[in-house]
Amino acid sequence: MALGRHVDVDKLIGECKDHRAFKHSHDSLELVDIPYASRYDNQQEVPRFRLPQDGVGADVVYQILHDELMLDGNPNMNLASFVHTWVPPQCEKLMMENLNKNLVDQDEYPAAQDIHDRCISMISHLWHSPAGSSIGTATTGSSEAIMLGGLALKKKWQERMKAAGKDIHNPGPNIVMGAEAQVALEKFARYFEVEGRLVPVTKESNYVMDPKKAIQCVDENTIGIFVILGSTYTGVFENVQEMSDLLDDYEKKTGISIPIHVDAASGGFVAPFAYPDYVWDFTIPRVHSINASGHKYGLSTVGVGWIIWRTPDHLPKELIFELHYLGETDYSFNLNFSRPAHPILSQMFNFLNLGFEGYRRVNLNDLAKARILSRALEGTGYFSILSNVHVPKPVAERGNFGDGDAEYYHEGLPVVSFRFTDDFKKQNPNLQQSWIQSQLRYYGWIVPNYPLPPACDDTEILRVVIRESFSGDLLRKLVEDIMSTVENLLKDQGPSFSMSHGAGNGKVKDKHAKWDSKKIKDNHKTHSKVC
Ligand SMILES: *Cc1c(COP(=O)(O)O)cnc(C)c1O
């Protein structure tokens, strides 16, 4: 069989089998071999795409799935994700003990519910809610939290418009956000039929929304502005204070008051600890709600996000449901009914275990590593850096901070976004930046290469997210591997077969060939457009 021709591996392997089942069953093409077949007393093959007629012993099933999951990347070398992958063993133990608890059963598990409520209280205080302990809920992540935050804005806008005797259907509501918005924000717009107005980003705006441009996109049908504390591209914070000031001016001129929801998915657990004096949260009266991901810099395991409203009055009553359960009344305002309690326990574990100072240490450490990595990459001469947590602020804004303090530099997430320098690209026009991604994958690293948001999307960036588990040793090894990757590419210049083949391997396979991807693409334009 010649390499390079399209080969259906399942079919090929099916044809190569001498198993009896192959002759008797159409399912045979879907069979996996039994691993450890002679060790376990199990001679049955297991279908991959259909429910097996008879079950398979628990030991065998464990072994099959355990081995298959080893094919997943090593979480510690996945530098693409903001989602944290490590908690202390005591936290794991606590979660295991409570794996079977459903948070919705508030009467059955009042202690878990109480811990949830205390998390809300701790976070409200952290974000300076004027009510002290305010109202909010755990969610599965920031995405669910953003749906709820957006819905609250939409309901409140409807109330305002109805009270003023105005039409809520024509032209209908809109929401303004930077073009670098994470997909959840655009999903909100599309799912809940709000026109998404994307404010174009530029190099000059540091690839995040410029409030001065955003203000030009608002009108009386604007339900709110999503302000993003920590771009997923570069980690740069959008300026909540400036956005709020401009909306104050707008209100003075027009009488229209437009609220802010802060998407602080990552920044919500970075800014309060790394930059305690930085103003972005409920300290600003126009900030009505904030979301964050507990599983990002909240340092919990995957499965927990938070949304907090400024005061209970900022949560529209239509979003609240009364649940009657075992004779008691509870209130619910999230999208899920059942949900595991253990991610919330992992959140509380971290709150109690680390305290403010612990979170601050973790954050400062992450940021210090981001600075080292940025300088090292810049120092190679091959790369320029687009993130800015290593760039000193103007002298007047540095206060008494020294170059060992995070506050000496621009505020942002511990993220390093980089690209080939213009000089390097000119000298090596055939060398594709995406090859770095695929070559690093051979060392085990996952470092994504992808285009910047619309209008800047002719520029591609490589991005490293620094998390707690990224040790100094790993950092040294990463720099070494990036260096040898570039040097090997330089030696092997040009799109040689092996290189272009390698680059192809780095691309995501189209898993959804059965969907009409053109229709899906066209659909993208229905609810979000550049304003
Ligand atoms: C990760 C992220 C989200 C989505 O959060 P999940 O917790 O993954 O659902 C939304 N906005 C921003 C800015 C993010 O970084």
Side-chain angles (χ1 to χ4, degrees), residues 1-8 497 501:
M1 185 79 52
L3 268 179
R5 229 191 300 155
H6 180 73
V7 177
D8 180 338
F497 174 75
H501 184 68

PDB file of all heavy atoms in Angstrom, residues 1-8 497 501:
ATOM      1  N   MET A   1       0.862  -1.203   0.000  1.00  0.00           N
ATOM      2  CA  MET A   1       0.000   0.000   0.000  1.00  0.00           C
ATOM      3  C   MET A   1       0.895   1.248   0.000  1.00  0.00           C
ATOM      4  O   MET A   1       1.698   1.442   0.907  1.00  0.00           O
ATOM      5  CB  MET A   1      -0.883  -0.024   1.257  1.00  0.00           C
ATOM      6  CG  MET A   1      -1.884   1.074   1.343  1.00  0.00           C
ATOM      7  SD  MET A   1      -3.387   0.874   0.369  1.00  0.00           S
ATOM      8  CE  MET A   1      -3.954  -0.745   0.851  1.00  0.00           C
ATOM      9  N   ALA A   2       0.740   2.062  -1.002  1.00  0.00           N
ATOM     10  CA  ALA A   2       1.601   3.242  -1.080  1.00  0.00           C
ATOM     11  C   ALA A   2       1.197   4.263  -0.019  1.00  0.00           C
ATOM     12  O   ALA A   2       0.019   4.510   0.195  1.00  0.00           O
ATOM     13  CB  ALA A   2       1.484   3.864  -2.465  1.00  0.00           C
ATOM     14  N   LEU A   3       2.171   4.821   0.635  1.00  0.00           N
ATOM     15  CA  LEU A   3       1.894   5.861   1.620  1.00  0.00           C
ATOM     16  C   LEU A   3       1.394   7.098   0.897  1.00  0.00           C
ATOM     17  O   LEU A   3       1.770   7.362  -0.225  1.00  0.00           O
ATOM     18  CB  LEU A   3       3.158   6.208   2.384  1.00  0.00           C
ATOM     19  CG  LEU A   3       3.366   5.414   3.676  1.00  0.00           C
ATOM     20  CD1 LEU A   3       4.671   5.843   4.318  1.00  0.00           C
ATOM     21  CD2 LEU A   3       2.219   5.612   4.631  1.00  0.00           C
ATOM     22  N   GLY A   4       0.578   7.857   1.561  1.00  0.00           N
ATOM     23  CA  GLY A   4       0.159   9.095   0.950  1.00  0.00           C
ATOM     24  C   GLY A   4      -1.191   8.943   0.277  1.00  0.00           C
ATOM     25  O   GLY A   4      -1.924   9.903   0.154  1.00  0.00           O
ATOM     26  N   ARG A   5      -1.550   7.721  -0.127  1.00  0.00           N
ATOM     27  CA  ARG A   5      -2.877   7.542  -0.679  1.00  0.00           C
ATOM     28  C   ARG A   5      -3.854   7.481   0.488  1.00  0.00           C
ATOM     29  O   ARG A   5      -3.479   7.101   1.597  1.00  0.00           O
ATOM     30  CB  ARG A   5      -2.933   6.226  -1.477  1.00  0.00           C
ATOM     31  CG  ARG A   5      -3.558   6.441  -2.846  1.00  0.00           C
ATOM     32  CD  ARG A   5      -3.859   5.137  -3.535  1.00  0.00           C
ATOM     33  NE  ARG A   5      -2.680   4.320  -3.762  1.00  0.00           N
ATOM     34  CZ  ARG A   5      -2.753   3.000  -3.891  1.00  0.00           C
ATOM     35  NH1 ARG A   5      -3.899   2.375  -3.770  1.00  0.00           N
ATOM     36  NH2 ARG A   5      -1.669   2.288  -4.131  1.00  0.00           N
ATOM     37  N   HIS A   6      -5.107   7.835   0.245  1.00  0.00           N
ATOM     38  CA  HIS A   6      -6.027   7.805   1.360  1.00  0.00           C
ATOM     39  C   HIS A   6      -6.298   6.363   1.788  1.00  0.00           C
ATOM     40  O   HIS A   6      -6.698   5.527   1.002  1.00  0.00           O
ATOM     41  CB  HIS A   6      -7.342   8.483   0.997  1.00  0.00           C
ATOM     42  CG  HIS A   6      -8.308   8.466   2.136  1.00  0.00           C
ATOM     43  ND1 HIS A   6      -8.142   9.267   3.252  1.00  0.00           N
ATOM     44  CD2 HIS A   6      -9.398   7.707   2.366  1.00  0.00           C
ATOM     45  CE1 HIS A   6      -9.103   9.006   4.108  1.00  0.00           C
ATOM     46  NE2 HIS A   6      -9.876   8.078   3.601  1.00  0.00           N
ATOM     47  N   VAL A   7      -6.038   6.076   3.061  1.00  0.00           N
ATOM     48  CA  VAL A   7      -6.206   4.712   3.545  1.00  0.00           C
ATOM     49  C   VAL A   7      -7.220   4.715   4.677  1.00  0.00           C
ATOM     50  O   VAL A   7      -7.112   5.506   5.601  1.00  0.00           O
ATOM     51  CB  VAL A   7      -4.860   4.164   4.070  1.00  0.00           C
ATOM     52  CG1 VAL A   7      -5.044   2.773   4.649  1.00  0.00           C
ATOM     53  CG2 VAL A   7      -3.831   4.155   2.961  1.00  0.00           C
ATOM     54  N   ASP A   8      -8.221   3.852   4.578  1.00  0.00           N
ATOM     55  CA  ASP A   8      -9.171   3.698   5.659  1.00  0.00           C
ATOM     56  C   ASP A   8      -8.602   2.669   6.637  1.00  0.00           C
ATOM     57  O   ASP A   8      -8.614   1.471   6.377  1.00  0.00           O
ATOM     58  CB  ASP A   8     -10.522   3.232   5.093  1.00  0.00           C
ATOM     59  CG  ASP A   8     -11.568   3.056   6.187  1.00  0.00           C
ATOM     60  OD1 ASP A   8     -11.179   2.885   7.360  1.00  0.00           O
ATOM     61  OD2 ASP A   8     -12.763   3.094   5.852  1.00  0.00           O
ATOM     62  N   PHE A 497       9.668  17.648   1.959  1.00  0.00           N
ATOM     63  CA  PHE A 497       8.524  16.770   2.155  1.00  0.00           C
ATOM     64  C   PHE A 497       8.254  16.523   3.626  1.00  0.00           C
ATOM     65  O   PHE A 497       7.148  16.653   4.102  1.00  0.00           O
ATOM     66  CB  PHE A 497       8.750  15.443   1.432  1.00  0.00           C
ATOM     67  CG  PHE A 497       7.667  14.455   1.731  1.00  0.00           C
ATOM     68  CD1 PHE A 497       6.406  14.591   1.157  1.00  0.00           C
ATOM     69  CD2 PHE A 497       7.897  13.413   2.612  1.00  0.00           C
ATOM     70  CE1 PHE A 497       5.404  13.703   1.466  1.00  0.00           C
ATOM     71  CE2 PHE A 497       6.895  12.516   2.919  1.00  0.00           C
ATOM     72  CZ  PHE A 497       5.646  12.661   2.346  1.00  0.00           C
ATOM     73  N   HIS A 501       4.921  17.721   5.598  1.00  0.00           N
ATOM     74  CA  HIS A 501       4.143  16.625   6.150  1.00  0.00           C
ATOM     75  C   HIS A 501       3.917  16.852   7.649  1.00  0.00           C
ATOM     76  O   HIS A 501       2.821  16.729   8.162  1.00  0.00           O
ATOM     77  CB  HIS A 501       4.900  15.322   5.918  1.00  0.00           C
ATOM     78  CG  HIS A 501       4.147  14.118   6.359  1.00  0.00           C
ATOM     79  ND1 HIS A 501       3.002  13.702   5.722  1.00  0.00           N
ATOM     80  CD2 HIS A 501       4.366  13.258   7.374  1.00  0.00           C
ATOM     81  CE1 HIS A 501       2.555  12.622   6.346  1.00  0.00           C
ATOM     82  NE2 HIS A 501       3.354  12.338   7.343  1.00  0.00           N
TER      83      HIS A 501
END
